[in-house]
Amino acid sequence: MRLSAFTTCASALAIAGAMIAVPAIAQDAAATPADAAASDGSLDQIVVTASGRDKTQLNSSVSVSSISAETIQSLKPSSEAEVFRMIPGIQVAGTSGPGGNSNIAVRGLPVATGGSPFVQIQEDGLPTVLFGDIQFGNNDYWTHFDATVANVEGVRGGSASTFASQAPGAVINYISQTGKTEGGFIGVSKGVNYDETKVDFRYGGPINDTTYFHVGGYFKNGRGPLHAGYTVSDSIQVKGNLTKEFDGGKGYFRLLFKVADTKEPNYTGAPAYAQINGKNVTDIRPFDGFDGRKQSNYSAFNQDFLIYNRDGNLERVAMDGITTKATSFGGQFHYEFDGGITVDNNMRYTKMKGGFASPFLNVGSTASVLGSTVNGATVADIRYASGAKAGQSYISPYIDNNVNVRTNIRDIGSFANDLTLAAKHDLGTAKVTARGGLFYMNQKIAMDWHVNKSLRALEGDNPSQLDLFDAEGNKLTQAGISGYNNNWGNCCARDYSLSYADTAPYLSLDIDHDAFDIDGSVRFDSVKASGYAIGGGAEFPIDSNGVTIPAITSNGTREDLNYTRKYTSWSVGALWKASSTTSLFVRASRGGRFNADRQTLGGKIRNDGQLCTSADIGSNGCTADGVTPSVDIVKQYELGVKSKGDLLGGRFTVELTLLKGNFKQSTYELSATKCPGGAGGCVIDAKYKSTGAELFATYRNGGFSLVGNATYSKAKKQGAGATSFQRADGIPDLIYSVSANYDVNKIATVGLAVTGQTNAIDSNGYQYPGKAIFNPSLRVYPIDNLELGVQVYNVFNTFDLRGNGGIANLGSNPAVISGAPALGRTVSASVRYNF
């Protein structure tokens, strides 16, 4: 960061801090211990995520926010992405559905391909998967908010780089209830205008004076708010823990477990109409016969399909969205020795697998199919393959020509352990804390991909697969499938079994004075890669019930991995305690993240299993440099102010951070959506930079409470061969959420949550408008411990295309486009009994 820019930011932030500090200081004498009770944004909570675990939010020189379970539950999020939108700095569309597969950006640092490359999702301090952008295994598949969660804590930048691996952008930590205070609830919610039922439950409490437990989870079943043609949600998750304190509370040992078996849909978008003037897309509205607010292409006529499996046979598989099966158990140990020595150890073993089966959507023209050559013949007719119109010709002008994809996630299990030793020493008026830790995680990634060429009707109500015929009436496809495993060529018929072992020692030093705090930390990651990856070979014909269909299987290029990559991350920060209610901080950090499975089958692995260097290109099986892109480095600079105090008879907190960041990335993209010329399988090289600000604020006054956040960023991208930076696609300048509740004499609670964003552009530079979604709720309490509720998502049924897609037909009026709209108006009712 240039000194002039930094000075300007510092001056502006100091003025803002001073303005906030004046009322806070004036009212400090009126504060009572009760006022400082832990709650959303209280700033008095101890930060436990990606930190030293001994400072409050107010006195930590990092950007951190904590969202209570009650606030999240009042929002009734339809996916994990909507939970993440409540954390400032996190930028996610929230339209991928409850199964996951969201692209999670942070602080204007875009997602080049998919997943969340710079954001780590944790449960109780350990990652659910080591890498956030595993192909067909993004980290939001494996974590589901449930009743056992006490709060969700998000640390952005700063110490996320050095107290966690593979998380230079942010760490989002789901922190569990422990049962130290007895209580629980059972609740049932039911869709009023859609088919879905969910049961949430939790209970915990003391067993004796030193032992306590907690257990909870959920059951969920239904067709979902997009009215799928069959049951697409069928999930169960149970989590629990048991804690034993000893030695007068100086130590504890906690056992944790989770069992999950989930099936949830992944929404892949919908067609729409729009007016387009130059690069400006306006007046976006639903497509005739396919309203993406309430319909999807999960169809009763495509709820299973054939793949050519890794054993060389045709196999019928379910179109069951994103499925996960997980069993994990772990242990936490904490002990405070005499003399200021503390030891913490956090361990988890996870056995986990799953699958990804989805009908991807793309809007194409029917005319482009008629007359084309498919499987060696000219297409003369397109007919419905099933349903009431089976055998009839398909005459609609548009068609869905995207894939039926099935990925078997055979093993994505892991073992993780994080050991920390801390020593505190008083040095005059300051306290010095030194920490040393060792993190280890072994992440397995074993999958086989099956990406079928597919055609279906562009309809939102149980669309049929479409079969193709030549002029003589010969069938060219089977149940709408024109190729097995070959939609994007031989790039994507893959079979691999990989293992990545990350060993990361880390050190930190902190000087805490009454007036200031200075800290620095460093982390040394060493990732050992092993295993194999096999790509697709040449096409060959197979017989599919009398129709000859081309297929590809994983008998092509093989890579055997045997390399280690090391890199260093660091972070330094300083905090000025302007008063007991206000602090200002500055921080700089450099964090690395390892490019795991996306490095394979891209010509980056030598014949001996080592990473290719630039000098290897053209020999040893190398076609590209593998060393440089194997680690992405993110640099961030932050300047922040935190304050709390009294305002208009209530209590407020505010956290404001100015930020600047940049990174470069070279990563593999499997689909045609972002590859030049529409080719499947390409390497994307680009540089990114961003400046902006993030805000998190709360206000409580009597029965009224307000929690809000906003992230403003100017995100820019410089592609390979480009000489200048342009606006990055998929990142709105402003994204925000606000949740307000008012308790009416303990009889009822009226709530309103709003999520919104400003405009964003797609990869071709077309600009789409941003809108706000309003979600009111009402909870009434007819008797003690009983709660009846009604929640409405998108009460105005706004058509908000948050996941930008592409232009299907620019020449028509209106133009035909595609994208991912937010859910339409959905109403649910709930009953909950607290005990």
Side-chain angles (χ1 to χ4, degrees):
M1 179 183 286
R2 294 179 312 208
L3 182 60
S4 59
F6 187 84
T7 303
T8 301
C9 291
S11 300
L13 198 56
I15 293 171
M19 294 175 66
I20 295 170
V22 170
I25 294 171
Q27 298 295 334
D28 185 49
T32 66
D35 295 325
S39 59
D40 286 319
S42 71
L43 299 182
D44 293 312
Q45 289 178 274
I46 299 296
V47 181
V48 301
T49 302
S51 68
R53 301 189 177 195
D54 63 349
K55 293 181 184 176
T56 65
Q57 292 175 257
L58 181 66
N59 292 324
S60 298
S61 58
V62 295
S63 300
V64 56
S65 303
S66 181
I67 316 296
S68 72
E70 189 65 24
T71 296
I72 297 171
Q73 288 165 350
S74 68
L75 177 65
K76 292 293 181 183
S78 61
S79 66
E80 300 310 299
E82 292 201 332
V83 176
F84 305 154
R85 285 178 72 97
M86 304 178 73
I87 300 172
I90 304 300
Q91 297 156 308
V92 57
T95 55
S96 291
N101 206 42
S102 298
N103 293 338
I104 308 171
V106 57
R107 293 181 159 186
L109 302 178
V111 177
T113 52
S116 55
F118 306 114
V119 179
Q120 183 180 101
I121 301 175
Q122 296 183 348
E123 291 181 359
D124 295 310
L126 289 175
T128 51
V129 288
L130 183 59
F131 310 107
D133 64 341
I134 296 171
Q135 296 172 104
F136 292 113
N138 297 349
N139 54 12
D140 64 342
Y141 294 16
W142 316 104
T143 301
H144 300 277
F145 177 83
D146 67 12
T148 67
V149 177
N151 61 294
V152 177
E153 197 166 80
V155 173
R156 287 88 62 198
S159 59
S161 301
T162 52
F163 282 89
S165 289
Q166 320 306 330
V171 173
I172 300 173
N173 188 15
Y174 285 44
I175 301 171
S176 295
Q177 302 268 4
T178 63
K180 193 165 187 177
T181 301
E182 184 175 11
F185 72 84
I186 184 168
V188 180
S189 61
K190 176 74 175 176
V192 174
N193 63 341
Y194 64 102
D195 173 34
E196 185 173 280
T197 301
K198 186 179 182 185
V199 178
D200 295 282
F201 65 97
R202 78 169 186 88
Y203 179 70
I207 296 175
N208 55 41
D209 291 343
T210 60
T211 309
Y212 42 95
F213 78 99
H214 190 273
V215 66
Y218 71 91
F219 306 88
K220 184 181 177 187
N221 185 272
R223 299 190 176 197
L226 295 190
H227 307 281
Y230 56 98
T231 298
V232 290
S233 290
D234 190 10
S235 300
I236 178 174
Q237 176 170 289
V238 179
K239 291 168 57 184
N241 55 71
L242 175 69
T243 305
K244 171 66 177 179
E245 294 184 356
F246 57 91
D247 201 6
K250 294 172 66 176
Y252 68 81
F253 180 70
R254 178 172 297 136
L255 294 173
L256 305 98
F257 77 90
K258 179 176 82 170
V259 178
D261 188 343
T262 70
K263 180 181 80 170
E264 298 292 345
N266 160 238
Y267 301 142
T268 59
Y273 292 128
Q275 297 297 323
I276 300 179
N277 183 11
K279 291 288 187 177
N280 195 32
V281 182
T282 61
D283 191 23
I284 301 174
R285 54 198 186 275
F287 187 82
D288 290 340
F290 197 149
D291 187 340
R293 295 170 299 180
K294 60 182 179 181
Q295 294 178 304
S296 77
N297 50 8
Y298 279 93
S299 169
F301 305 119
N302 191 29
Q303 58 184 301
D304 56 63
F305 62 104
L306 290 175
I307 64 169
Y308 188 76
N309 66 23
R310 65 197 301 257
D311 296 322
N313 300 309
L314 288 175
E315 176 188 358
R316 187 163 296 279
V317 296
M319 185 71 79
D320 49 8
I322 295 175
T323 57
T324 75
K325 291 187 177 182
T327 302
S328 70
F329 64 87
Q332 296 177 344
F333 176 81
H334 171 85
Y335 191 75
E336 300 171 9
F337 293 91
D338 295 335
I341 306 295
T342 303
V343 62
D344 286 277
N345 194 72
N346 196 1
M347 178 276 292
R348 181 194 298 131
Y349 168 79
T350 302
K351 182 179 180 181
M352 192 157 65
K353 62 180 181 179
F356 183 103
S358 184
F360 281 13
L361 180 137
N362 185 69
V363 181
S365 69
T366 304
S368 68
V369 179
L370 290 169
S372 67
T373 300
V374 174
N375 298 340
T378 300
V379 177
D381 195 13
I382 306 174
R383 303 176 192 173
Y384 288 91
S386 54
K389 298 180 181 180
Q392 298 180 26
S393 292
Y394 182 78
I395 59 174
S396 296
Y398 297 99
I399 198 167
D400 181 355
N401 60 4
N402 216 332
V403 302
N404 273 2
V405 58
R406 166 76 182 192
T407 299
N408 297 318
I409 308 173
R410 304 190 304 271
D411 189 355
I412 198 165
S414 63
F415 172 79
N417 194 86
D418 195 3
L419 172 66
T420 304
L421 183 67
K424 297 181 180 181
H425 179 69
D426 291 333
L427 187 65
T429 57
K431 180 179 292 184
V432 179
T433 303
R435 290 184 181 84
L438 179 63
F439 171 83
Y440 173 83
M441 185 167 181
N442 186 298
Q443 177 69 64
K444 298 177 182 177
I445 308 175
M447 300 187 191
D448 48 279
W449 298 3
H450 308 277
V451 186
N452 290 354
K453 285 185 177 181
S454 178
L455 286 174
R456 68 183 62 85
L458 193 66
E459 300 167 353
D461 184 14
N462 281 324
S464 169
Q465 293 287 104
L466 300 175
D467 275 325
L468 306 180
F469 295 81
D470 65 14
E472 287 72 39
N474 298 309
K475 195 176 182 183
L476 308 178
T477 60
Q478 185 62 266
I481 303 298
S482 59
Y484 295 111
N485 306 339
N486 68 343
N487 187 78
W488 294 312
N490 63 6
C491 80
C492 302
R494 295 188 168 193
D495 190 321
Y496 49 90
S497 181
L498 305 168
S499 179
Y500 297 93
D502 189 345
T503 303
Y506 55 94
L507 301 167
S508 71
L509 184 66
D510 180 274
I511 302 173
D512 189 1
H513 187 271
D514 290 342
F516 64 85
D517 183 277
I518 300 174
D519 72 90
S521 51
V522 63
R523 189 180 191 93
F524 307 96
D525 281 276
S526 176
V527 184
K528 170 68 174 177
S530 58
Y532 70 87
I534 307 173
E539 279 191 349
F540 58 92
I542 64 172
D543 180 87
S544 182
N545 195 26
V547 181
T548 300
I549 305 290
I552 291 177
T553 192
S554 52
N555 61 356
T557 301
R558 178 184 177 111
E559 292 178 345
D560 293 288
L561 282 62
N562 182 26
Y563 68 88
T564 299
R565 184 70 160 89
K566 299 180 180 180
Y567 55 97
T568 302
S569 304
W570 56 261
S571 181
V572 293
L575 178 136
W576 173 44
K577 303 174 184 178
S579 73
S580 61
T581 59
T582 302
S583 62
L584 293 94
F585 72 92
V586 61
R587 179 166 291 277
S589 60
R590 176 189 185 272
R593 59 88 55 179
F594 178 80
N595 224 329
D597 59 314
R598 291 181 183 267
Q599 283 277 98
T600 58
L601 298 174
K604 300 178 182 180
I605 311 296
R606 292 180 10 164
N607 292 334
D608 62 1
Q610 298 295 305
L611 285 172
C612 297
T613 65
S614 297
D616 290 322
I617 295 176
S619 62
N620 298 314
C622 296
T623 61
D625 173 20
V627 174
T628 303
S630 62
V631 175
D632 298 318
I633 299 297
V634 178
K635 298 178 181 178
Q636 295 187 79
Y637 308 90
E638 305 168 64
L639 193 60
V641 60
K642 306 177 186 182
S643 187
K644 64 178 182 178
D646 291 356
L647 179 65
L648 302 176
R651 295 284 294 174
F652 79 90
T653 71
V654 63
E655 304 165 61
L656 173 66
T657 306
L658 303 182
L659 48 95
K660 179 181 176 70
N662 63 78
F663 77 97
K664 62 180 179 180
Q665 187 174 27
S666 177
T667 187
Y668 182 79
E669 168 62 28
L670 64 95
S671 75
T673 57
K674 295 187 177 182
C675 289
C682 64
V683 175
I684 295 179
D685 292 289
K687 296 179 181 179
Y688 300 87
K689 64 180 182 180
S690 177
T691 57
E694 58 189 29
L695 173 71
F696 185 80
T698 71
Y699 183 68
R700 297 179 183 276
N701 191 337
F704 177 75
S705 64
L706 178 72
V707 179
N709 79 80
T711 302
Y712 173 79
S713 62
K714 284 292 185 181
K716 297 183 177 182
K717 171 183 177 180
Q718 181 181 10
T723 58
S724 61
F725 281 87
Q726 305 294 327
R727 184 180 180 185
D729 57 285
I731 301 290
D733 286 346
L734 179 67
I735 185 170
Y736 58 89
S737 67
V738 180
S739 177
N741 289 278
Y742 184 71
D743 295 326
V744 184
N745 296 326
K746 298 183 179 181
I747 298 174
T749 300
V750 180
L752 177 65
V754 183
T755 67
Q757 61 189 48
T758 55
N759 63 60
I761 65 171
D762 65 16
S763 57
N764 293 312
Y766 286 94
Q767 180 175 280
Y768 299 74
K771 299 179 181 179
I773 298 293
F774 293 83
N775 314 305
S777 63
L778 173 65
R779 289 173 287 172
V780 297
Y781 317 105
I783 60 174
D784 287 346
N785 299 325
L786 181 64
E787 172 189 307
L788 306 177
V790 177
Q791 300 83 28
V792 183
Y793 182 88
N794 195 358
V795 66
F796 300 119
N797 206 28
T798 302
F799 195 88
D800 186 11
L801 205 63
R802 289 184 171 175
N804 301 329
I807 310 299
N809 189 345
L810 189 61
S812 64
N813 188 18
V816 177
I817 65 174
S818 63
L823 294 178
R825 185 187 300 114
T826 56
V827 183
S828 63
S830 62
V831 57
R832 169 171 156 170
Y833 183 74
N834 301 298
F835 45 83

